[in-house]
Amino acid sequence: MSMELDVFVGNTMLLDEEVYKLWLDGYTVGDAVRLRLEGGVLQECEASEEVLHSDTMDQFRTFQMCERFLHCPSKLANQLLFQIPPHRQAMLIERYYMFDSGFARELLGKKLSKGTKKDLDDVSAKTGITLKSCRRQFDNFKRVFKAVEELKGPLVENIQHHFLLSDRLARDYAAVVFFANSRFETGKRKLQYLSFQDFAFCARQLISYWTVGSVDSMLEGMDVDLEKEFLHDLKDLKILITDKDMLDQHKSLVCAALRGKIKVFNEMEGNFKNLSRALVNIAVKLTHTKDVRDLFIDLVEKFIEPCRSDRWAVGDIRLFLTHYTSTAHKLDTFRHLVIWDRYMGVVKSCILKMYHD
Amino acid sequence: MPGKLKAKIVAGRHLPVMDRASDLTDAFVEVKFGNTTFKTDVYPKSLNPQWNSEWFKFEVDDEDLQDEPLQITVLDHDTYSANDAIGKVYIDIDPLLSSEAATVISGWFPIYDTIHGIRGEINVLVKVDLFNDLNRFRQSSCGVKFFCTTSIPRCYRAAMVHGFVEELVVNEDPEYQWIDRIRTPRASNEARQRLISLMSGELQRKIGLKVLEMGGNAVVGYLQCFDLEGESGLVVRAIGTACTLEKLSNSSAAAPPACNSPSKDIKESPLAHPPGHGCRSTHSSPVHTASGSRLSQNFSVSVPTLIFTGMRLHRHRSLGETGPEHRPQTVLPGRQCRPPFSEDPNPNTHSSGPSTPLKTQTYSFSPSKSYSRQSSSSDTDLSLTPKTASPPAGPRIFLCPSSPALSTEPPPNHSNSFQLSPGPGTAQRFTPLPLPLSGHQYPPGLRKSVSFSEDLLLAASGMGSGGSAGKEGGPLKTLLRQQTQSALEQRGASSSRIFVRTREFPFFTLTSFPPGFLIHVGGVVSARSVKLLDRIHNPALGNTRSYKLLDWNSFAADEPETRDAWWEEIRQEIKSHARALGCHAVVGYSESTSICEEVCILSASGTAAVLHPKFMQEGCLDGYSDPSRLSRQPATFSAGSEKGEFDIFPQSKDSSAALGLEEPSPPSCGFCHIPYDELNIPFPAHLTYCYHCRRQKVPDVLFTTIDMPAEAAVTGKGCLIQARLCRLKKKAQGEVNATAISNLLPFMEYELHTQLMNKLKLRGMNALFGLRIQISVGENMLVGLASATAVYLTALPTPGGIQIAGKTPSDITYEQHISNMQKKINDTIAKNKELYEVNPPEVIEEVIGSPIPEPRQRSRLFRSHSESSDEVSELDLSHGKKDAFVLEIDDTDAVEDIHSLLTDTPAPAGFYSCNTEIMPGIYNWTSGLQMFTSVRVFRLSNANLTNQGLNKIFNDLCENLLKSLYFKLRSMIPCCLCHLNFTVAVPEDELIQVAVTAVAMTFDKDQAQENWKLGADKTHMKAIVENEEQLQFPLELCTESPSTNPFSPCRGTGLQESANAHATPRAASVDYSSFADRWSSWIELIRLKAQTIRRGSIKTTSSLEKASPLPEGRSRSLRSTRSYAGSTVAVVKMTPLSFIPGTRIIKYLGIINMFFIRETTSLREEGGVSGFLHAFIAEVFAMVRAHVAALGGNAVVSYSMKECVFMENPNKNQAQCLINVSGDAVIFMRESELEATPAPPQTSCSGGEVTT
């Protein structure tokens, strides 16, 4: 005595956003029914649990059938199997590609490989996101990554064009792709306090200023990789710390500018050379891929932590970095101002974003 | 009339990966039509090939154009091995053959594979150049338009309704051919799909021919069905209503084409069809004569019964008219009947038959029931008359539901098929002869009731003959015996029969009519017959492409049983039932089958009605029956008769006028008035004067299979009611099985009817529309499902309550129980009345001839009864009178049983449901529309189930399904589920399958009640206008020349018959031109607009990939930056209704009739049975939409899923499903657009990659 078969098909796809969310979250039908019950669907409409189960089952099946189109959103628009009003299509796609920032944080900078996928159960356990949902999100990352890694042109627009995502979501994906491509280290203990959004911000900075696309005309460049030439040129900044005179001069200029303006002036003055060395060394090392990956850990270890231990306020940091950058222009013998500004602009924003508890 | 078919393959997209190595595909396309095949080049390594082929041209006969589909196969080229098929597309080019429909087919079609489903899409362009051909002997019927819609299509006007057309084509089922053992499932499925496509093409062509012969140009209410008979073959049959339609734009009335071509007979022409070509019937063939009787080979084992009813008539005919073959069709069946008429007086109705010139066939009529039973396992017929109770006097035994015993009597039941055998008997009953005669004296016929008889005999006897017999006192009992003898004779005699037969049945598949068309409605008539599919295999069949079973020429003993004959019998029976109700026509007519193994139940049902002859082609009604009726009336009761004639029209005119003037006036009530003679009521009924006009009598309850006439006055809203029933039966084979089924059927009909009646009362309503009773047979059970829309017709009396009576008064607790129950029921009724807003104005009832006390009183009465045992006996008395309002309860179980049956959970707030086109009482629909199909299969446990248990399960199944629908569609509230069409099947031993197709439509709640006239969509207004226009004519007709009009009395004598024949045509031909002139210029206007629009739409057609003209919610797309430019699939709406609210249909593009098979050998991987079927149904929708879009349409109306056969074998991980769908492709425009800008709305967005 059982329902052997139970199917409902509408000419226009009928879907309940709440159920879609449950499906995306990877719940089983049973769990979804339970959650819906708790959510009080039945109160608004007289029905039995059985009805709810049937409805949930049906929608889950529909979503499953739809999934292959979602993998290639442009197909969703001209597939013939389901008739879906355009705004619904947009909703389906957007939700499907939406990801949990907790999950993304875990995956950030990791290689989107099979190995990583195998470890998703750990991620799932850690984040409390169902394994199924983790897999979907992982597959989305990978799919987007594959689709755009070789493409020319602005990363965000590429993603948007291929996956029909909203601007915001496309930017987040750009960050994910960027991190995955450059394999930035984000998993270290010291970086745990940083959220996905912190990194996404940094990624945007890097994409905007350090990649090929950032200088070349938008159409030519590749947004995914940092500009090799630029990284190479960063070596030239070494003079700021190797030239003793220049270092002293820089220090005095900064001190002059900041005197009385920041609370931690003394600490700054005492620590200036170390800080300056740290920042310049980071720049200089960026020619090595490995050191590129360590960019964020270096920023934290070499700059943020010392500052934090001296209890710098964010405002102090902002002032320091602003003047640290600008005073370099006053150094007589320092000629690499373009590179310097390009470097410091990004580093400054990143540090400011990352400087919190 | 040859034509040139041109096809161009443009491109493909989303193709599947066929080469694993490269993840790509080397695709090419084969285009096949008939025996000619073209190929495109291979487009290497792409999933989105651009073939852009040349135009492939096929020079073909138009006959082939009609029969054959264009077959497009997409393949993957493989250098070293055989090319792999990716999938196919079948394109029906029929829509291109009519000048008014589509001009080009162009668009993306899903590439369909029976194993893998949809695999990508292909863009195709198809055109046809037809050369005009005036050859009269052509076999084709290009240009005849087909509509599934069961009303006059919205942008046409019916200049003439010619009547019933039917055809049937048979072939061997490829699935059962020997070759099937060695070919792949794919090949087998494709063979089947192709064959069915061919057969339906052929069927349509043949029907078209008949229509042309009748002088029509269209078939409305086209209903095509497949019977998968397994070993014994595949039957494709269709019925429809031939009409002459005129575009509304065209004001010149088309003169009705000469109707009497002698060839009408053709359809029945027994032409032998050359096997090779299938049968194309030539109408001209003189062959008719040849046709002899065929033996019914049904499994009639012992009984040699043969012929059927038909014979008699024929004989008559032939006799009467010397040259049978040549007889012009003018001879109406009705006329034929006449002679019998005259004979009627004979005590033996049957005798009349014999008395006819035919000598040979002296069959005696005595169809005693019992006898008939035996010989033919007939079952009892139940009359479902509301008051099932009273068995009429002796003769009509069958009617009494209560006397099922009869059925059982016959021990050795031979096959049901035999029923036919009673043929002789039946013949007579058929003979409209007796019936018509009876006209005035109507025997107690069944009236709203459904009479169902498995056997013709019974039925016949029951209804027609029985009735007449009753009067005459000669129950037909004897006849069966003679069967054997007669058989031989019949054969001989039968030859003539064909001719007679040709007479059309006065049937109409339409369910709604132009105002003024429907004069009276008698009630539901139905008939069922159980047949054994013959196991005899005709070797000749194998070779023929298609073969019409009905091959009159051959008398060979092993000739296959003719399905034609089966249906003929059923139809005759229906016809006779209608006559018994004093009606000359059957409307809302439909036919269906249920097959299990070798047993087949054939069912037909319709609504007996009196139609206005103005619209009819002469002869398509039972001509004289109408006149006879009317004429008689005067005779019988002088006073009444006049009224009878006049009342009707004035009345309707009143209403129409009222409507036109926008008075809040009562719409007409004329159709509720009884068509039969009050003094000779065919069954016991309570008649009262119409509550609306007070001038005519109306019954207390009215059951019909049609939609509610738009002008009818209702109180409150309607609601869906269903009667559900399961009956176990033993597994058996062959005749035993058929007998068992036959025996069960009457009980089921009875019980279903009782349930319907009770549920109707429970809702405080008094009429049913859209009644559809389906009985499905399985190996170990029968399942019955009756659905209808209940309403409160203002013209009919207020229904009384329901009284519960204990059969045997016993202890007090029991009494209490009963009174509790009674209370609950009373409460429910009160609640329902409130729910459906049924608050009829208080009226003083005048009960006429009703044996039952006035309802209110009665209820008081009964309540007291339940408390005192004394009075219970009184109760019983009333029960004995078969008062349908009283429920009798034998024991406590039964109480629960009844209670549970009566308490269907009502739809949640905000929901209404009905199975008719629209919900009575709701007028202001908004544009929300959601068509859906839901299928459920329930597996019963092995536990021994009782009938009750089974009933409960089935009932829950249906209730839960409804609840699920309500829940799913809750976002559309307030909304109404319209046209809820349930289909039940018993696919396997323990499975019950229920499929539902319906549409949910939103409406504006606030206005729901008031000012529907204002809020109503334009179509409504239009209807009103038509109303006005059309009614004038009838008025004139009546007033001017009552004496010469078609109603003129022709009392049936054979001689008069001929006179009548002349008279009728005259009347029918009343000039239409004057009528047509009345079409207002307003219509011109519409036409102009429509034309412009059409032009625009065609443009759309040619540029593919257009976005829908009105993408819903486009504005809401998330961001402007996102480009949905690529998303250019046209939106195609689908609905089972004939219209889309808020829009006007501006063009019909042709009929969609598609058949698909899907099979899988990886059921689990596809998500189990649900996943499999879900995907398949979605694919079917997609293919329908694609075809419509390719025709340039944006909607399918009158969509229906005719067949959904699902089989699974979980152990083998396999499943197979067959689906047949149909509908009309149309272009619609929103009313607002129509008014605002007649400009082409459709050209819209670009994005078409492919254009012409």
Side-chain angles (χ1 to χ4, degrees), chain B residues 834-911:
Chain B
E834 196 175 326
L835 184 62
Y836 301 111
E837 297 155 20
V838 179
N839 304 308
E842 291 292 312
V843 203
I844 302 150
E845 294 193 29
E846 322 161 43
V847 178
I848 299 182
S850 150
I852 300 181
E854 210 229 338
R856 240 162 275 125
Q857 284 178 344
R858 217 187 335 141
S859 63
R860 228 182 304 123
L861 215 66
F862 286 134
R863 225 168 276 138
S864 62
H865 281 269
S866 58
E867 278 145 37
S868 79
S869 55
D870 275 349
E871 285 158 352
V872 172
S873 59
E874 276 188 49
L875 252 189
D876 274 343
L877 258 188
S878 69
H879 184 71
K881 288 182 205 149
K882 303 292 178 182
D883 174 359
F885 306 115
V886 178
L887 286 182
E888 183 179 295
I889 296 167
D890 298 309
D891 55 59
T892 335
D893 279 352
V895 173
E896 290 306 332
D897 215 36
I898 286 177
H899 192 242
S900 66
L901 275 179
L902 290 179
T903 48
D904 293 346
T905 42
F911 270 111

Side-chain angles (χ1 to χ4, degrees), chain A residues 2 4 11-12 55 77 83, chain B residues 930-931 937 939 968 1127 1208:
Chain A
S2 57
E4 176 98 359
N11 179 39
T12 303
D55 176 58
Q83 186 159 278
Chain B
Q930 171 68 282
M931 192 282 294
V937 175
R939 181 176 290 281
K968 278 194 174 292
S1127 83
E1208 61 167 326

Side-chain angles (χ1 to χ4, degrees), chain B residues 42 107 140 205 457 467 569 644 665 715 880 1009 1087 1157 1166 1183:
Chain B
V42 174
S140 71
R205 176 174 54 79
L457 282 186
E569 292 162 4
S665 74
T715 303
Q1009 292 181 259
R1087 179 182 61 108
I1157 301 178
E1166 294 191 31
M1183 288 184 277

Side-chain angles (χ1 to χ4, degrees), chain B residues 407-457:
Chain B
S407 60
T408 53
E409 302 176 5
N413 289 345
H414 303 309
S415 61
N416 305 339
S417 53
F418 283 170
Q419 312 165 348
L420 299 189
S421 57
T426 50
Q428 300 181 347
R429 73 126 194 287
F430 270 150
T431 40
L433 322 180
L435 295 184
L437 301 181
S438 55
H440 41 301
Q441 336 165 329
Y442 270 155
L446 306 184
R447 185 203 138 232
K448 3 181 132 185
S449 55
V450 178
S451 65
F452 113 123
S453 59
E454 304 181 9
D455 300 10
L456 296 186
L457 282 186

Side-chain angles (χ1 to χ4, degrees), chain A residues 1-19 36 41-42 44-48 50-59 61-65 68-69 73-91 93-94 160-161 163-168, chain B residues 13-14 108-110 118 121 908-909 929-941 945 953 957 960 963-971 991 1105 1111-1114 1116-1119 1121-1124 1126-1134 1169-1171 1173-1175 1177-1179 1181-1182 1185-1186 1206 1208:
Chain A
M1 292 255 221
S2 57
M3 198 61 74
E4 176 98 359
L5 181 156
D6 180 4
V7 163
F8 176 98
V9 190
N11 179 39
T12 303
M13 188 169 156
L14 253 193
L15 63 89
D16 182 324
E17 296 191 22
E18 186 198 346
V19 182
R36 292 184 77 188
V41 208
L42 292 193
E44 62 190 68
C45 190
E46 320 140 36
S48 64
E50 202 180 327
V51 166
L52 203 57
H53 187 270
S54 142
D55 176 58
T56 310
M57 197 61 187
D58 216 66
Q59 295 204 45
R61 207 165 38 227
T62 311
F63 298 141
Q64 212 169 322
M65 281 190 258
R68 67 191 165 104
F69 299 119
S74 55
K75 266 191 196 167
L76 186 66
N78 54 22
Q79 53 85 28
L80 300 177
L81 190 57
F82 296 103
Q83 186 159 278
I84 313 171
H87 69 279
R88 285 282 189 178
Q89 291 181 15
M91 187 278 289
I93 295 167
E94 187 79 3
Q160 233 179 351
H161 180 253
F163 294 93
L164 308 176
L165 302 178
S166 68
D167 203 40
R168 197 185 61 78
Chain B
R13 68 182 183 195
H14 308 160
W108 287 100
F109 291 90
I118 291 179
E121 289 124 38
L929 193 70
Q930 171 68 282
M931 192 282 294
F932 58 86
T933 290
S934 184
V935 181
R936 288 193 177 186
V937 175
F938 196 85
R939 181 176 290 281
L940 305 169
S941 68
L945 281 169
I953 289 172
L957 179 59
N960 286 337
K963 279 186 205 159
S964 267
L965 298 181
Y966 295 139
F967 181 76
K968 278 194 174 292
L969 298 163
R970 65 192 184 285
S971 62
L991 299 183
E1105 275 237 327
E1112 305 158 60
R1114 203 206 291 166
R1116 283 220 246 156
S1117 63
L1118 287 186
R1119 282 174 45 88
T1121 51
R1122 232 161 313 157
S1123 62
Y1124 281 106
S1127 83
T1128 47
V1129 178
V1131 172
V1132 175
K1133 299 204 175 214
M1134 291 167 77
V1169 288
S1170 294
L1173 190 61
H1174 193 140
I1177 294 176
E1179 284 167 349
F1181 285 3
R1185 287 191 304 254
F1206 180 76
E1208 61 167 326

Side-chain angles (χ1 to χ4, degrees), chain B residues 451-675:
Chain B
S451 65
F452 113 123
S453 59
E454 304 181 9
D455 300 10
L456 296 186
L457 282 186
L458 294 184
S461 59
M463 305 272 110
S465 59
S468 59
K471 299 287 164 137
E472 278 126 357
L476 332 169
K477 304 211 165 178
T478 56
L479 61 111
L480 296 186
R481 317 182 202 147
Q482 289 90 359
Q483 295 178 336
T484 42
Q485 314 171 352
S486 60
L488 293 182
E489 300 171 346
Q490 288 179 348
R491 264 198 216 164
S494 61
S495 58
S496 57
R497 133 185 213 211
I498 301 171
F499 308 105
V500 179
R501 244 195 173 217
T502 58
R503 219 29 213 136
E504 288 134 29
F505 293 95
F507 294 173
F508 301 87
T509 51
L510 305 178
T511 58
S512 67
F513 305 90
F517 192 100
L518 195 61
I519 299 177
H520 295 304
V521 169
V524 169
V525 287
S526 81
R528 283 180 214 281
S529 173
V530 181
K531 300 288 184 185
L532 270 189
L533 299 172
D534 57 8
R535 286 154 288 188
I536 298 172
H537 221 51
N538 185 348
L541 265 181
N543 302 331
T544 57
R545 191 185 71 176
S546 66
Y547 183 88
K548 184 160 180 186
L549 281 184
L550 185 55
D551 180 354
W552 301 87
N553 287 327
S554 68
F555 294 96
D558 58 347
E559 177 188 339
E561 179 55 55
T562 68
R563 272 60 175 169
D564 255 4
W566 291 359
W567 287 110
E568 166 90 9
E569 292 162 4
I570 296 261
R571 288 170 192 146
Q572 288 291 5
E573 183 176 339
I574 290 276
K575 187 169 164 184
S576 69
H577 293 349
R579 281 163 192 263
L581 291 178
C583 295
H584 62 181
V586 175
V587 296
Y589 180 74
S590 67
E591 295 175 346
S592 63
T593 57
S594 170
I595 295 175
C596 178
E597 303 287 315
E598 69 221 325
V599 175
C600 174
I601 303 183
L602 311 187
S603 312
S605 71
T607 303
V610 176
L611 302 179
H612 199 297
K614 162 178 82 101
F615 298 94
M616 288 324 141
Q617 179 184 31
E618 153 252 354
C620 87
L621 295 179
D622 266 351
Y624 64 91
S625 97
D626 178 31
S628 71
R629 180 183 72 85
L630 290 181
S631 63
R632 254 162 221 228
Q633 273 188 348
T636 19
F637 40 75
S638 52
S641 67
E642 271 189 8
K643 232 197 225 165
E645 293 201 315
F646 284 133
D647 251 16
I648 301 167
F649 299 121
Q651 218 168 299
S652 50
K653 171 210 171 185
D654 276 354
S655 64
S656 72
L659 289 176
L661 297 177
E662 311 232 330
E663 288 170 19
S665 74
S668 76
C669 51
F671 76 95
C672 307
H673 300 165
I674 53 165

Side-chain angles (χ1 to χ4, degrees), chain A residues 71-138:
Chain A
H71 290 166
C72 179
S74 55
K75 266 191 196 167
L76 186 66
N78 54 22
Q79 53 85 28
L80 300 177
L81 190 57
F82 296 103
Q83 186 159 278
I84 313 171
H87 69 279
R88 285 282 189 178
Q89 291 181 15
M91 187 278 289
L92 282 174
I93 295 167
E94 187 79 3
R95 293 280 183 88
Y96 189 79
Y97 282 91
M98 221 132 33
F99 53 81
D100 292 291
S101 50
F103 173 83
R105 177 65 188 80
E106 289 299 318
L107 266 272
L108 215 46
K110 283 191 184 152
K111 192 175 178 188
L112 300 175
S113 64
K114 287 203 174 126
T116 313
K117 192 170 180 179
K118 270 187 202 144
D119 295 337
L120 285 180
D121 38 359
D122 294 340
V123 178
S124 168
K126 190 173 170 190
T127 57
I129 298 164
T130 61
L131 183 58
K132 203 170 157 226
S133 178
C134 288
R135 293 211 170 116
R136 172 182 59 86
Q137 297 183 44
F138 176 84

Side-chain angles (χ1 to χ4, degrees), chain B residues 1073-1093:
Chain B
S1073 57
S1074 66
F1075 167 63
D1077 284 343
R1078 305 224 169 113
W1079 286 88
S1080 60
S1081 57
W1082 176 85
I1083 284 165
E1084 272 302 300
L1085 195 83
I1086 302 269
R1087 179 182 61 108
L1088 282 179
K1089 285 185 182 174
Q1091 222 111 41
T1092 349
I1093 289 150

